[in-house]
Amino acid sequence: MLTGLRGTQHGEAASAAVGRLRQLSSNLQYVYTECGLLRTTLNSMAHELRAQQRVLRDALDDAESLKLTVHADGSVTYPAAGEGLIDGRPLPGGKASGDAVPGLLPPSGLVAPNPNAAKAQDIADRVAKAVRTAAEIDWRYARILRRLKAEEGLKVPDITWTDAAGDAATVRDAARGYLKDGIPRDASPAERKAWWAALTDEQREEYLAVYPDQIGNLDGIPALVRDAANRDNLQLLMGKLEGRDDAKSETQLAGLREIDRQLREGRQPPMFLLGIGDEGNGRAIVSFGNPDAAKNVSAYVPGLNTSLDEEFAKGDLKRARDTAIGAKEMNPGTPSASIVWLGYDAPQASVTDPLGSLDVMGEGNARIGALAYNKFMAGISVTNQNDDPHITAIGHSYGSLTVGLAAQERAGIPGADDIILVGSPGTGARSADELGVGKNHVFVGAAENDPVTKLPNGREAGGIGAGVAGGASTGFVLGASTGPVGAVIGGAAGGIVGGFAGYTAQDAQSDESEAWFGTDPAHRDFGANRFAVSDGPRPFERGHEPVEAHSNYFNPSKDQMSADNIARIVSGKSEQIQRGRPR
């Protein structure tokens, strides 16, 4: 209704109607969530009660076969049996109660008890335990049900979702044995797809209500289902983070709110939320276009400094959307989907703290991310409805290392036909042939003024470090003869000179094709197809971001040539790219 209304109606009445419909949508989403929790609570209670019903039924069947009588109060009477030692007559019958102390049987006769007494006592104990356990189950679930209620009124405020997050946690804890164990976490994406297809509609609804976070982030589940689960989980996450005053929660909440705003806008291409979470630096996977229905699918991995925050929700989502729009323009008759995949912890650094976490200098985060990325791509390949979809893996910055390492796994990136690397400090590979798709299907964009593509290799970095340390020490000693100020100036100058000298010395001994992580993808020795991009502004050029050339590859308003080339590759028209000369 919102899409049709926005497309055909304008004016104050239309704006008011849009506002009312959005509120109604929020209300219905909340009702859906809470009703799902109610149903799952009742079904989980029934699941636990059925176990006690089986215990009780077995006890009653045993009593019938033994000719014992079970009364309404749970007591069990048994007939005369055996024989007395003195007169040989059958020992009298009696009654066993489930409240009796186990092991103490009422005596019958002079020495030996009635043989039916022990059997009756066992049945009475089993009946009493089943009824007592059922009463405990009833009491526990009654307490949960009393919590599942909302304030009266027609508006669902944000704080209500905080309560809903608590409700979901409570029901999830109670229903653990009923649902959680059935989720195939360790299965392959194909097995997960088959598991979901085999569930009844009611079972699916219950999983979506109680475990939207796990179903929404389970590779192999159809995109429409993941989107529904994650939209629900998004509200629960915002409710969970609402009111927290720590920096991480506030940062992630801002990112979640921006994603929620875009989802509610109903923008085109349509958005699908394929993953969301608050673990680590945050998780978010958004597709513009349905990846299950699209013939051309791309999945872009962002790099350094990416986390679940407002900048990601505005900038990185825009990159994926621009790629989707570009692919549609390049190949109008073929449906496409463009995904941004933040499924790992990218290293964090800044201009004031360039090293940030030392993670940026190593492959650790990328290796963990590569495994997760391949699982996601396997899920995309399994759920796609086309016989032979065209799938493109895209890595930017440190994300290109993640994609490169994923491609070097034993089976490569599942389903990938092409690989695009932009702003890359290296992939960990010596040549494009090592990336599993053939060097003719590896494409590289490297702006002339992007410093990340020109980082020193390990040997050169070592020379810089040693030179800085040695030069600073020498300069400090020499400058100290003129006083404290001279020592500081001498140390700084010596560090600069020493660093340059160290770099020069090691550079002379290094292969020019070496990058920080393996061979420079833009170099001719790597063997990939380099496509044309604009040079971009120089680092720290006035009026621009400090390293803006590193961020413009996807932006058609700042680098139309690069954005078009990426769109051509993603749309299956790589033969039409504008080529650039390798280094």
Short mmCIF file of all heavy atoms in Angstrom, two decimals, residues 395-442:
data_model
loop_
_atom_site.label_atom_id
_atom_site.label_comp_id
_atom_site.label_asym_id
_atom_site.label_seq_id
_atom_site.Cartn_x
_atom_site.Cartn_y
_atom_site.Cartn_z
N GLY A 395 35.83 -7.33 -3.52
CA GLY A 395 36.52 -6.96 -2.29
C GLY A 395 37.12 -5.57 -2.42
O GLY A 395 37.77 -5.24 -3.42
N HIS A 396 36.88 -4.74 -1.40
CA HIS A 396 37.43 -3.39 -1.38
C HIS A 396 38.38 -3.25 -0.20
O HIS A 396 38.06 -3.68 0.91
CB HIS A 396 36.31 -2.35 -1.27
CG HIS A 396 36.80 -0.94 -1.07
ND1 HIS A 396 36.45 -0.18 0.02
CD2 HIS A 396 37.63 -0.17 -1.83
CE1 HIS A 396 37.03 1.00 -0.07
NE2 HIS A 396 37.74 1.03 -1.19
N SER A 397 39.56 -2.67 -0.44
CA SER A 397 40.51 -2.40 0.65
C SER A 397 40.90 -3.72 1.34
O SER A 397 41.21 -4.70 0.67
CB SER A 397 39.88 -1.39 1.62
OG SER A 397 40.79 -1.00 2.63
N TYR A 398 40.84 -3.75 2.67
CA TYR A 398 41.16 -4.98 3.39
C TYR A 398 40.17 -6.09 3.02
O TYR A 398 40.49 -7.28 3.11
CB TYR A 398 41.12 -4.70 4.89
CG TYR A 398 41.64 -5.82 5.77
CD1 TYR A 398 42.99 -5.92 6.09
CD2 TYR A 398 40.77 -6.77 6.31
CE1 TYR A 398 43.47 -6.94 6.91
CE2 TYR A 398 41.24 -7.79 7.12
CZ TYR A 398 42.59 -7.86 7.42
OH TYR A 398 43.05 -8.87 8.23
N GLY A 399 38.98 -5.70 2.57
CA GLY A 399 38.00 -6.69 2.12
C GLY A 399 38.48 -7.47 0.91
O GLY A 399 38.04 -8.60 0.68
N SER A 400 39.40 -6.88 0.11
CA SER A 400 39.94 -7.61 -1.04
C SER A 400 40.85 -8.74 -0.56
O SER A 400 40.96 -9.78 -1.23
CB SER A 400 40.70 -6.66 -1.97
OG SER A 400 41.88 -6.17 -1.35
N LEU A 401 41.52 -8.54 0.58
CA LEU A 401 42.30 -9.63 1.16
C LEU A 401 41.38 -10.74 1.62
O LEU A 401 41.66 -11.93 1.42
CB LEU A 401 43.14 -9.11 2.34
CG LEU A 401 43.92 -10.16 3.13
CD1 LEU A 401 44.94 -10.87 2.25
CD2 LEU A 401 44.60 -9.53 4.35
N THR A 402 40.25 -10.37 2.23
CA THR A 402 39.26 -11.36 2.67
C THR A 402 38.75 -12.17 1.48
O THR A 402 38.69 -13.41 1.53
CB THR A 402 38.10 -10.66 3.38
OG1 THR A 402 38.59 -9.89 4.48
CG2 THR A 402 37.08 -11.67 3.90
N VAL A 403 38.41 -11.49 0.40
CA VAL A 403 37.93 -12.18 -0.80
C VAL A 403 39.05 -13.03 -1.40
O VAL A 403 38.82 -14.18 -1.83
CB VAL A 403 37.40 -11.16 -1.82
CG1 VAL A 403 37.16 -11.82 -3.18
CG2 VAL A 403 36.11 -10.54 -1.32
N GLY A 404 40.27 -12.48 -1.42
CA GLY A 404 41.38 -13.23 -1.98
C GLY A 404 41.67 -14.51 -1.22
O GLY A 404 41.91 -15.57 -1.83
N LEU A 405 41.63 -14.43 0.11
CA LEU A 405 41.85 -15.64 0.91
C LEU A 405 40.70 -16.62 0.76
O LEU A 405 40.91 -17.84 0.76
CB LEU A 405 42.04 -15.25 2.39
CG LEU A 405 43.33 -14.44 2.69
CD1 LEU A 405 43.35 -14.03 4.16
CD2 LEU A 405 44.57 -15.25 2.35
N ALA A 406 39.48 -16.10 0.64
CA ALA A 406 38.33 -16.98 0.40
C ALA A 406 38.50 -17.73 -0.92
O ALA A 406 38.19 -18.92 -1.02
CB ALA A 406 37.04 -16.16 0.40
N ALA A 407 39.00 -17.02 -1.93
CA ALA A 407 39.18 -17.64 -3.24
C ALA A 407 40.28 -18.70 -3.22
O ALA A 407 40.28 -19.60 -4.07
CB ALA A 407 39.52 -16.56 -4.27
N GLN A 408 41.19 -18.59 -2.27
CA GLN A 408 42.30 -19.56 -2.20
C GLN A 408 41.99 -20.75 -1.31
O GLN A 408 42.84 -21.63 -1.14
CB GLN A 408 43.56 -18.85 -1.69
CG GLN A 408 44.10 -17.83 -2.68
CD GLN A 408 45.24 -17.01 -2.11
OE1 GLN A 408 46.35 -17.48 -1.94
NE2 GLN A 408 44.93 -15.75 -1.78
N GLU A 409 40.77 -20.80 -0.74
CA GLU A 409 40.35 -22.00 -0.03
C GLU A 409 40.26 -23.15 -1.03
O GLU A 409 40.18 -22.93 -2.24
CB GLU A 409 38.99 -21.77 0.65
CG GLU A 409 39.04 -20.84 1.85
CD GLU A 409 39.78 -21.45 3.02
OE1 GLU A 409 39.50 -22.59 3.39
OE2 GLU A 409 40.67 -20.75 3.57
N ARG A 410 40.25 -24.36 -0.53
CA ARG A 410 40.36 -25.54 -1.40
C ARG A 410 39.38 -25.52 -2.57
O ARG A 410 39.75 -25.78 -3.71
CB ARG A 410 40.16 -26.80 -0.57
CG ARG A 410 40.23 -28.09 -1.39
CD ARG A 410 40.13 -29.31 -0.51
NE ARG A 410 41.24 -29.36 0.44
CZ ARG A 410 41.36 -30.31 1.37
NH1 ARG A 410 40.44 -31.25 1.47
NH2 ARG A 410 42.40 -30.30 2.19
N ALA A 411 38.13 -25.20 -2.31
CA ALA A 411 37.12 -25.22 -3.38
C ALA A 411 36.84 -23.83 -3.93
O ALA A 411 35.94 -23.65 -4.76
CB ALA A 411 35.83 -25.85 -2.87
N GLY A 412 37.57 -22.82 -3.48
CA GLY A 412 37.34 -21.46 -3.94
C GLY A 412 36.06 -20.87 -3.38
O GLY A 412 35.44 -21.43 -2.48
N ILE A 413 35.65 -19.73 -3.93
CA ILE A 413 34.41 -19.09 -3.51
C ILE A 413 33.24 -19.79 -4.20
O ILE A 413 33.17 -19.80 -5.44
CB ILE A 413 34.42 -17.59 -3.86
CG1 ILE A 413 35.58 -16.89 -3.15
CG2 ILE A 413 33.09 -16.94 -3.49
CD1 ILE A 413 35.77 -15.45 -3.58
N PRO A 414 32.33 -20.40 -3.46
CA PRO A 414 31.24 -21.17 -4.08
C PRO A 414 30.45 -20.35 -5.11
O PRO A 414 29.97 -19.26 -4.80
CB PRO A 414 30.36 -21.54 -2.87
CG PRO A 414 31.31 -21.58 -1.73
CD PRO A 414 32.28 -20.46 -1.99
N GLY A 415 30.35 -20.88 -6.30
CA GLY A 415 29.54 -20.26 -7.34
C GLY A 415 30.16 -19.09 -8.05
O GLY A 415 29.60 -18.60 -9.04
N ALA A 416 31.31 -18.58 -7.59
CA ALA A 416 31.87 -17.35 -8.15
C ALA A 416 32.35 -17.55 -9.58
O ALA A 416 33.06 -18.51 -9.89
CB ALA A 416 33.01 -16.84 -7.28
N ASP A 417 31.94 -16.62 -10.45
CA ASP A 417 32.40 -16.62 -11.84
C ASP A 417 33.47 -15.56 -12.07
O ASP A 417 34.39 -15.76 -12.85
CB ASP A 417 31.22 -16.36 -12.79
CG ASP A 417 30.15 -17.43 -12.69
OD1 ASP A 417 30.41 -18.56 -13.15
OD2 ASP A 417 29.08 -17.15 -12.13
N ASP A 418 33.32 -14.41 -11.40
CA ASP A 418 34.26 -13.30 -11.54
C ASP A 418 34.62 -12.76 -10.17
O ASP A 418 33.84 -12.88 -9.21
CB ASP A 418 33.66 -12.17 -12.38
CG ASP A 418 33.44 -12.58 -13.84
OD1 ASP A 418 34.38 -13.13 -14.43
OD2 ASP A 418 32.33 -12.33 -14.36
N ILE A 419 35.80 -12.14 -10.09
CA ILE A 419 36.26 -11.50 -8.86
C ILE A 419 36.71 -10.09 -9.21
O ILE A 419 37.45 -9.88 -10.18
CB ILE A 419 37.42 -12.29 -8.21
CG1 ILE A 419 36.92 -13.64 -7.70
CG2 ILE A 419 38.05 -11.49 -7.08
CD1 ILE A 419 38.01 -14.52 -7.12
N ILE A 420 36.26 -9.11 -8.41
CA ILE A 420 36.66 -7.72 -8.57
C ILE A 420 37.40 -7.29 -7.31
O ILE A 420 36.91 -7.48 -6.20
CB ILE A 420 35.45 -6.79 -8.81
CG1 ILE A 420 34.69 -7.21 -10.07
CG2 ILE A 420 35.88 -5.34 -8.88
CD1 ILE A 420 33.40 -6.42 -10.29
N LEU A 421 38.58 -6.69 -7.50
CA LEU A 421 39.38 -6.18 -6.39
C LEU A 421 39.63 -4.70 -6.61
O LEU A 421 40.15 -4.30 -7.65
CB LEU A 421 40.72 -6.92 -6.32
CG LEU A 421 40.67 -8.46 -6.34
CD1 LEU A 421 42.06 -9.03 -6.59
CD2 LEU A 421 40.09 -8.98 -5.03
N VAL A 422 39.23 -3.86 -5.65
CA VAL A 422 39.45 -2.42 -5.78
C VAL A 422 40.11 -1.89 -4.51
O VAL A 422 39.82 -2.34 -3.40
CB VAL A 422 38.14 -1.66 -6.06
CG1 VAL A 422 37.65 -1.92 -7.47
CG2 VAL A 422 37.05 -2.03 -5.06
N GLY A 423 41.03 -0.93 -4.71
CA GLY A 423 41.74 -0.35 -3.56
C GLY A 423 42.46 -1.39 -2.75
O GLY A 423 42.48 -1.32 -1.52
N SER A 424 43.08 -2.37 -3.41
CA SER A 424 43.59 -3.55 -2.72
C SER A 424 45.03 -3.41 -2.26
O SER A 424 45.91 -3.03 -3.05
CB SER A 424 43.47 -4.77 -3.64
OG SER A 424 44.04 -5.91 -3.01
N PRO A 425 45.32 -3.78 -0.99
CA PRO A 425 46.70 -3.87 -0.52
C PRO A 425 47.31 -5.25 -0.78
O PRO A 425 48.39 -5.56 -0.29
CB PRO A 425 46.55 -3.62 0.98
CG PRO A 425 45.23 -4.23 1.32
CD PRO A 425 44.35 -3.98 0.11
N GLY A 426 46.59 -6.09 -1.52
CA GLY A 426 47.05 -7.44 -1.82
C GLY A 426 46.02 -8.46 -1.40
O GLY A 426 45.12 -8.19 -0.60
N THR A 427 46.15 -9.66 -1.94
CA THR A 427 45.18 -10.73 -1.68
C THR A 427 45.79 -11.93 -0.99
O THR A 427 45.09 -12.91 -0.73
CB THR A 427 44.57 -11.21 -3.01
OG1 THR A 427 45.62 -11.79 -3.81
CG2 THR A 427 43.94 -10.07 -3.78
N GLY A 428 47.10 -11.88 -0.71
CA GLY A 428 47.77 -13.05 -0.18
C GLY A 428 48.18 -14.02 -1.27
O GLY A 428 48.79 -15.04 -0.98
N ALA A 429 47.86 -13.69 -2.52
CA ALA A 429 48.18 -14.56 -3.65
C ALA A 429 49.34 -13.97 -4.46
O ALA A 429 49.54 -12.75 -4.49
CB ALA A 429 46.97 -14.75 -4.55
N ARG A 430 50.08 -14.83 -5.14
CA ARG A 430 51.17 -14.36 -5.99
C ARG A 430 50.68 -14.01 -7.39
O ARG A 430 51.30 -13.20 -8.08
CB ARG A 430 52.25 -15.45 -6.08
CG ARG A 430 53.01 -15.67 -4.77
CD ARG A 430 53.86 -16.93 -4.84
NE ARG A 430 53.02 -18.12 -4.99
CZ ARG A 430 53.50 -19.35 -5.11
NH1 ARG A 430 54.80 -19.55 -5.10
NH2 ARG A 430 52.68 -20.39 -5.24
N SER A 431 49.59 -14.63 -7.81
CA SER A 431 49.07 -14.35 -9.14
C SER A 431 47.56 -14.56 -9.16
O SER A 431 46.99 -15.21 -8.28
CB SER A 431 49.73 -15.25 -10.19
OG SER A 431 49.24 -16.58 -10.06
N ALA A 432 46.93 -14.01 -10.19
CA ALA A 432 45.48 -14.13 -10.34
C ALA A 432 45.06 -15.57 -10.55
O ALA A 432 43.92 -15.94 -10.23
CB ALA A 432 45.01 -13.25 -11.50
N ASP A 433 45.95 -16.40 -11.07
CA ASP A 433 45.61 -17.79 -11.29
C ASP A 433 45.31 -18.54 -10.00
O ASP A 433 44.68 -19.61 -10.04
CB ASP A 433 46.76 -18.50 -12.02
CG ASP A 433 46.79 -18.17 -13.51
OD1 ASP A 433 45.71 -18.03 -14.09
OD2 ASP A 433 47.90 -18.04 -14.06
N GLU A 434 45.76 -18.02 -8.86
CA GLU A 434 45.56 -18.69 -7.59
C GLU A 434 44.17 -18.42 -7.00
O GLU A 434 43.84 -18.95 -5.94
CB GLU A 434 46.64 -18.27 -6.59
CG GLU A 434 48.04 -18.68 -7.01
CD GLU A 434 49.10 -18.21 -6.01
OE1 GLU A 434 48.71 -17.74 -4.91
OE2 GLU A 434 50.30 -18.31 -6.31
N LEU A 435 43.37 -17.60 -7.66
CA LEU A 435 42.08 -17.20 -7.10
C LEU A 435 40.91 -18.06 -7.58
O LEU A 435 39.75 -17.75 -7.29
CB LEU A 435 41.81 -15.72 -7.41
CG LEU A 435 42.86 -14.75 -6.85
CD1 LEU A 435 42.43 -13.31 -7.07
CD2 LEU A 435 43.11 -14.99 -5.37
N GLY A 436 41.18 -19.11 -8.31
CA GLY A 436 40.16 -20.12 -8.56
C GLY A 436 39.19 -19.88 -9.69
O GLY A 436 38.41 -20.77 -10.02
N VAL A 437 39.20 -18.69 -10.31
CA VAL A 437 38.25 -18.43 -11.39
C VAL A 437 38.95 -18.24 -12.73
O VAL A 437 38.29 -17.99 -13.75
CB VAL A 437 37.37 -17.19 -11.08
CG1 VAL A 437 36.47 -17.45 -9.89
CG2 VAL A 437 38.23 -15.95 -10.86
N GLY A 438 40.27 -18.35 -12.73
CA GLY A 438 41.04 -18.08 -13.95
C GLY A 438 41.40 -16.62 -14.03
O GLY A 438 40.58 -15.75 -13.72
N LYS A 439 42.62 -16.31 -14.45
CA LYS A 439 43.08 -14.92 -14.42
C LYS A 439 42.24 -14.00 -15.32
O LYS A 439 42.15 -12.79 -15.05
CB LYS A 439 44.55 -14.84 -14.81
CG LYS A 439 44.86 -15.26 -16.25
CD LYS A 439 46.36 -15.14 -16.51
CE LYS A 439 46.69 -15.50 -17.96
NZ LYS A 439 48.15 -15.39 -18.22
N ASN A 440 41.62 -14.55 -16.35
CA ASN A 440 40.80 -13.71 -17.23
C ASN A 440 39.51 -13.25 -16.57
O ASN A 440 38.80 -12.41 -17.11
CB ASN A 440 40.48 -14.46 -18.52
CG ASN A 440 41.70 -14.66 -19.39
OD1 ASN A 440 42.64 -13.87 -19.35
ND2 ASN A 440 41.69 -15.73 -20.19
N HIS A 441 39.20 -13.83 -15.41
CA HIS A 441 37.98 -13.45 -14.69
C HIS A 441 38.29 -12.71 -13.39
O HIS A 441 37.42 -12.57 -12.54
CB HIS A 441 37.15 -14.70 -14.41
CG HIS A 441 36.57 -15.33 -15.63
ND1 HIS A 441 35.38 -14.92 -16.19
CD2 HIS A 441 37.05 -16.32 -16.44
CE1 HIS A 441 35.13 -15.64 -17.26
NE2 HIS A 441 36.13 -16.51 -17.44
N VAL A 442 39.52 -12.24 -13.25
CA VAL A 442 39.90 -11.41 -12.09
C VAL A 442 40.12 -10.00 -12.60
O VAL A 442 40.91 -9.76 -13.52
CB VAL A 442 41.18 -11.94 -11.43
CG1 VAL A 442 41.57 -11.04 -10.25
CG2 VAL A 442 40.98 -13.38 -10.95
#
